[in-house]
Amino acid sequence: MESKQLTAGDLEAYWVETPPTQPWIRVGMDTGGIAAGARRVYKALVEARDQLGLPHDIRQTGSLGLSYADPVVEVGDASGSTVVFGSMDEESARDLVRQYGRDGNLLEDRVIASHDRGRAFDGQPQTAILVKDTGTGKSEDRTAVFQELIREELVVHGLDKRVKVYRAMDMGLYQRGICVQLLPSRVTYADVHGPDIRRIIAESLRGGQVLEDLLETSGELQERIVLRHCGRIDPDELDSYLRAGGYRGLKRALLEMSPEEVIEDMKVSGLRGRGGAGYPTWLKWKLTRDPVSDRKFVICNGDEGDPGAFMDRSVLEGDPHAVLEGLMISAYAIGADTGFFYIRAEYPLAIERVQRAIDQCRAAGLLGPNILGSGFSFDARVRLGAGAFVCGEETALIASIEGRRGSPEPRPPYPSVKGLWDKPTSINNVETLAAVSSILDRGGNWYAGFGTEQSRGTKVFAVTGKIRNPQLVEVPMGISIGAIIEDICGGAVSGSNIKAVQTGGPSGGVIPREKMDVPVTYESLQELGSIMGSGGMLVMDTSDSMVDVAKFYLGFCVDESCGKCAPCRIGGYQMLKILERMHSGNGKPEDLVIIRDICHCMRTASLCGLGQTAPNPVLSTLQYFEQEYLDLVSAPVTGTSRPRRKVTTSLKGF
Amino acid sequence: MTVETELGNILEWVKSMRRRVHELAREWEDEEGNLIMILHAIQNEFGYIPRGVANELANELGINMARIYEVITFYNYFRLTPPGRHHIQVCMGTACYLKGAMQLHDDLDRELRLLEASGGREGEFQLESVRCIGCCGMAPAVVVDGETHGRLNPSDARTILKQTRRA
């Protein structure tokens, strides 16, 4: 099909849902998965399958987001049942094919229980039980003990041949004591105690009754829109994307709507820029559509430079066509004929997959002249970043695509009026564009149904740091930070306590533990002195120094300052010197006054977003953890600092 | 090797380099703002951007050498010196930093100094700290010759060097 020009009719044929007819295995092969050994796992799976002559269709896919469990493998069959296995290696891959693929047995300590929990058995006999001690904060891990107890009880009832018991790797429930999930129904019981086991076996397994008092009724907190295909399709295959409903949004826009109607639908959806600033997407498009110009451009900003964030990389690697489709829709809406993907050079796999997606679309006639017979012509190219954080700023990004140093320009004029090669240009973030293709497919009203009044839809976060299960999550706006941290990611790493969560990276701030119930929206995070940002969410525990973290982020911004304007170039450097001096025990009480002054100056007088927001990590740690700064200026932290200071004083006499 | 053959080799290299730069310039001829993409291609090929190659590129594109150098020196990704035989990159993203990347970097640095002091070859290893490589789930992470190692302890520094030397 690579050389065939697709028509609207061809696309529709792809969209007819066809359930799989044979069992399949998917291996998460994004950068994270590959780093953890996914390529070796893939090879071992293929070899084992061929050796046993099994029919499984083995495919690569993007990331399901479960970074803590990389490499991740998902197995499914024609009946529609799927099981996710985590922390795989070559040996467990061979076991998986043999034990599960051939014999239908699960693996110990590898299964990640489904969050899509069942409520009833529907008369179906249950064949497996997953068990996991999700902790109570009091005792040792009792998973193995309960596994044995359940097995013994199964023997009593003569069910031990039919029902197997496995230790799960993760239940998606935390601090809920012993949890069990019955398969295939996915009925899940939490806070299970010793005496409950008898009831579960007798009443649930034998009697087919759901035990309402133990039943876990909480559902999936995540809502996957941007990540809808990540970990589900093969990112290197146009076919795979099309079968998942791909380019349906493009077809609807090109053949059924005028550009104005597309912008109107975006307005209804309420989508705001997911790069961090939250500017309404429809308005950006309208402002770029309005000016009269011989050429216009669209750009996908994939210069994800925030240290500790990997949302955009995951989307580009897991679902490049969804972003390309979004870019094409934005081009149609504003009347552009050329688009650019600006991607970090440090993301070679993302670059490769996006380039492949572009080549496939050119071959299929989805890029080029007169797309789908609509009269709309468009082509896209990839341009690489070269390791400059400031190039995430739109005017610097434009300079970089033009082949120049990435120095920002004062705005206005905004790129919507005077952008790439002085032509009107619309720049959208990767996540925004992946949402666009989904919105045009399902309608603005559908998308507006998620989130809050001011912050519609969903947001992807990369949760990392001192967290039990670091991962990529996509949640409806308005959910609390606490729910993301505690309920989805399992709270602090064992044995520690969360102190604060940092959002927005070097441009953001910290949110202390006491404010964890605050809803995630653009406005509420700003009120707390942080920002939504692009989606990095860094969890810190009580062993982390807030001054050190502020120093880390500031050091990053000083390194990355382009040096064009004085407040950022000089202010950032001087403030970093003061913080370093304080940290080494030579701080003075008046340092805090100077720091606040510099922050104020940088915020108000810097040329671009980098300098204006660089003080945020310092200001917000000062706001919530001022005592840590005061401790540094009042008492020396190292033994050597006092004498050194005395020497300086005594030298003054000379 | 005689002086003549050695000089011949150098001349041959210069000729092929010129040809390559010419090809690259032609390949990107129709693209506006092509400089950064050409520099990427050059670094991919030579491992860094040698001054002579940059000079050749300036001639090819009809621009000043300063135009090229202002771009190379602005962007962290471009290198002006040849890379070591083994390339070790310690991720200094926030998640890795919190989980002890600094300590790991210092340990690797110390081990490398010891190695050099005990007669190791110069330029065998190149150690650098890099911006977030996006493997935050595996923090702290180190990339050795393109292969990522994650969830490391400080004691892993020596093991990594040993394994790399053996490979």
Side-chain angles (χ1 to χ4, degrees), chain A residues 308 310 461-465 467 469-473 484-485 489 535-539, chain B residues 136:
Chain A
F310 52 97
F461 289 100
V463 189
T464 63
I467 185 91
N469 290 342
Q471 60 187 298
L472 206 61
V473 302
I484 297 174
I485 300 297
C489 299
M537 197 175 260
L538 181 82
V539 180
Chain B
C136 309

Side-chain angles (χ1 to χ4, degrees), chain A residues 64 66 113-117 119 171-173 216-224 232 471-476 479 487-488:
Chain A
L64 280 171
L66 310 169
S114 171
H115 301 185
D116 181 19
R117 299 177 187 109
R119 300 285 180 93
M171 274 286 178
L173 295 167
E216 179 58 38
T217 52
S218 72
E220 179 62 272
L221 291 168
Q222 299 199 50
E223 191 63 57
R224 293 167 75 94
R232 310 228 176 274
Q471 60 187 298
L472 206 61
V473 302
E474 181 172 359
V475 287
I479 191 175
D487 302 338
I488 299 177

Side-chain angles (χ1 to χ4, degrees), chain A residues 35 67-68 307-308 310 313 344-345 381-387 400-406 421 464-466 538 540 544 548 552-553 556 559-560, chain B residues 28 31-37 40 67 70-71 73-78 92-95 97-99 131-138 147-148 151:
Chain A
S67 312
Y68 64 94
F310 52 97
R313 194 208 70 203
R344 285 183 82 191
R381 291 179 176 78
V382 174
R383 286 297 165 90
L384 309 191
S400 186
I401 293 184
E402 291 176 353
R404 297 184 284 121
R405 290 165 70 96
W421 291 297
T464 63
K466 304 291 180 66
L538 181 82
M540 290 166 287
D544 295 316
D548 188 39
F552 172 82
Y553 281 119
F556 181 87
D559 264 1
E560 293 296 338
Chain B
W28 286 93
E31 291 272 342
E32 295 165 282
N34 50 20
L35 180 58
I36 292 176
M37 295 306 277
H40 271 294
R67 247 301 264 132
E70 72 163 9
V71 167
T73 51
F74 179 85
Y75 294 99
N76 287 325
Y77 195 79
F78 295 127
M92 232 18 115
T94 328
Y97 180 79
L98 273 192
K99 290 192 170 174
R131 294 280 180 250
C132 191
I133 55 169
C135 294
C136 309
M138 297 171 63
E147 178 121 349
T148 310
R151 300 177 186 125

Side-chain angles (χ1 to χ4, degrees), chain A residues 314-591:
Chain A
S314 288
V315 176
L316 291 172
E317 288 180 359
D319 198 11
H321 280 287
V323 187
L324 179 55
E325 185 181 352
L327 191 71
M328 290 155 85
I329 292 167
S330 77
Y332 175 69
I334 71 160
D337 62 4
T338 306
F340 290 93
F341 279 90
Y342 186 79
I343 309 175
R344 285 183 82 191
E346 292 87 340
Y347 286 175
L349 189 62
I351 293 164
E352 183 191 317
R353 287 185 175 161
V354 169
Q355 186 62 55
R356 188 171 291 128
I358 291 175
D359 294 343
Q360 288 167 344
C361 280
R362 280 187 191 144
L366 289 170
L367 281 176
N370 193 17
I371 296 166
L372 296 178
S374 64
F376 169 67
S377 303
F378 179 72
D379 198 14
R381 291 179 176 78
V382 174
R383 286 297 165 90
L384 309 191
F389 178 63
V390 71
C391 288
E393 200 276 340
E394 38 183 37
T395 57
L397 189 154
I398 286 170
S400 186
I401 293 184
E402 291 176 353
R404 297 184 284 121
R405 290 165 70 96
S407 300
E409 303 284 337
R411 297 180 302 178
Y414 287 91
S416 53
V417 180
K418 198 177 167 199
L420 195 58
W421 291 297
D422 292 342
K423 305 292 179 192
T425 304
S426 163
I427 304 171
N428 290 118
N429 162 270
V430 169
E431 193 183 329
T432 311
L433 291 173
V436 164
S437 43
S438 181
I439 291 168
L440 263 292
D441 175 19
R442 309 185 67 169
N445 267 320
W446 162 79
Y447 190 78
F450 301 97
T452 67
E453 191 65 35
Q454 293 296 314
S455 301
R456 301 266 185 209
T458 59
K459 175 80 193 89
V460 182
F461 289 100
V463 189
T464 63
K466 304 291 180 66
I467 185 91
R468 184 192 305 260
N469 290 342
Q471 60 187 298
L472 206 61
V473 302
E474 181 172 359
V475 287
M477 297 269 199
I479 191 175
S480 75
I481 293 178
I484 297 174
I485 300 297
E486 302 288 342
D487 302 338
I488 299 177
C489 299
V493 284
S494 62
S496 79
N497 286 308
I498 290 176
K499 184 178 190 175
V501 173
Q502 213 274 359
T503 65
S507 313
V510 294
I511 294 155
R513 193 187 166 81
E514 305 84 71
K515 309 268 185 194
M516 288 292 158
D517 54 351
V518 78
V520 172
T521 66
Y522 289 98
E523 288 73 24
S524 59
L525 292 182
Q526 212 150 18
E527 255 168 55
L528 289 179
S530 187
I531 57 165
M532 174 82 75
S534 60
M537 197 175 260
L538 181 82
V539 180
M540 290 166 287
D541 68 12
T542 41
S543 69
D544 295 316
S545 152
M546 290 296 126
V547 184
D548 188 39
V549 170
K551 189 163 69 81
F552 172 82
Y553 281 119
L554 188 64
F556 181 87
C557 287
V558 169
D559 264 1
E560 293 296 338
S561 170
C562 78
K564 184 169 175 174
C565 72
C568 175
R569 182 182 69 240
I570 302 171
Y573 180 78
Q574 292 303 333
M575 185 147 68
L576 183 63
K577 287 288 138 201
I578 296 174
L579 282 180
E580 279 172 355
R581 201 177 63 216
M582 285 172 72
H583 209 245
S584 63
N586 295 317
K588 292 172 285 206
E590 58 267 34
D591 282 343

Side-chain angles (χ1 to χ4, degrees), chain A residues 35-312:
Chain A
R39 285 216 171 100
R40 291 190 294 272
V41 168
Y42 183 90
K43 199 162 155 268
L45 287 168
V46 171
E47 282 169 6
R49 173 201 62 187
D50 293 347
Q51 211 172 29
L52 296 175
L54 294 174
H56 292 72
D57 179 29
I58 303 179
R59 292 291 173 124
Q60 66 157 355
T61 182
S63 168
L64 280 171
L66 310 169
S67 312
Y68 64 94
D70 275 333
V72 174
V73 173
E74 190 174 9
V75 190
D77 60 28
S79 77
S81 94
T82 63
V83 183
V84 178
F85 298 87
S87 295
M88 297 295 288
D89 52 26
E90 285 155 290
E91 202 188 327
S92 53
R94 286 188 283 269
D95 283 349
L96 177 85
V97 173
R98 216 172 15 245
Q99 291 193 35
Y100 186 63
R102 190 185 59 191
D103 307 336
N105 295 325
L106 297 174
L107 304 182
E108 290 288 7
D109 302 313
R110 294 270 192 263
V111 177
I112 298 170
S114 171
H115 301 185
D116 181 19
R117 299 177 187 109
R119 300 285 180 93
F121 295 118
D122 298 326
Q124 211 180 10
Q126 303 300 300
T127 54
I129 300 176
L130 295 172
V131 57
K132 167 91 183 165
D133 185 350
T134 65
T136 52
K138 280 181 227 144
S139 52
E140 298 280 299
D141 191 320
R142 298 164 298 159
T143 308
V145 177
F146 270 74
Q147 181 185 27
E148 208 37 56
L149 285 175
I150 296 171
R151 275 186 181 149
E152 283 167 13
E153 192 62 25
L154 285 169
V155 172
V156 172
H157 287 264
L159 288 168
D160 54 315
K161 291 282 181 296
R162 183 159 71 79
V163 184
K164 300 269 170 44
V165 192
Y166 305 95
R167 299 185 299 271
M169 180 183 172
D170 188 74
M171 274 286 178
L173 295 167
Y174 307 98
Q175 300 298 318
R176 298 292 307 277
I178 298 287
C179 294
V180 300
Q181 185 171 82
L182 310 185
L183 297 175
S185 69
R186 293 176 173 178
V187 164
T188 307
Y189 296 135
D191 290 313
V192 172
H193 293 90
D196 299 324
I197 291 175
R198 185 162 294 173
R199 293 174 54 213
I200 292 172
I201 307 298
E203 293 171 39
S204 279
L205 278 181
R206 294 205 71 144
Q209 293 294 312
V210 171
L211 303 173
E212 297 294 340
D213 57 320
L214 293 175
L215 186 67
E216 179 58 38
T217 52
S218 72
E220 179 62 272
L221 291 168
Q222 299 199 50
E223 191 63 57
R224 293 167 75 94
I225 295 175
V226 168
L227 302 176
R228 61 196 181 277
H229 300 134
C230 287
R232 310 228 176 274
I233 64 166
D234 184 342
D236 281 341
E237 300 239 350
L238 175 59
D239 275 28
S240 186
Y241 181 66
L242 288 173
R243 272 197 298 272
Y247 291 105
R248 211 156 43 195
L250 179 77
K251 189 210 145 209
R252 178 169 166 251
L254 294 189
L255 303 183
E256 296 166 30
M257 299 165 86
S258 68
E260 288 80 6
E261 284 168 337
V262 171
I263 292 175
E264 188 53 36
D265 207 25
M266 289 305 296
K267 188 176 178 181
V268 171
S269 78
L271 178 67
R272 297 167 63 176
R274 295 293 189 246
Y279 194 77
T281 305
W282 73 272
L283 189 54
K284 189 181 266 184
W285 290 8
K286 186 177 180 308
L287 293 175
T288 319
R289 176 169 182 77
D290 287 345
V292 179
S293 173
D294 57 336
R295 285 196 85 179
K296 288 179 187 179
F297 297 102
V298 287
I299 298 174
C300 167
N301 184 351
D303 191 46
E304 182 174 59
D306 171 354
F310 52 97
M311 300 77 50
D312 295 351

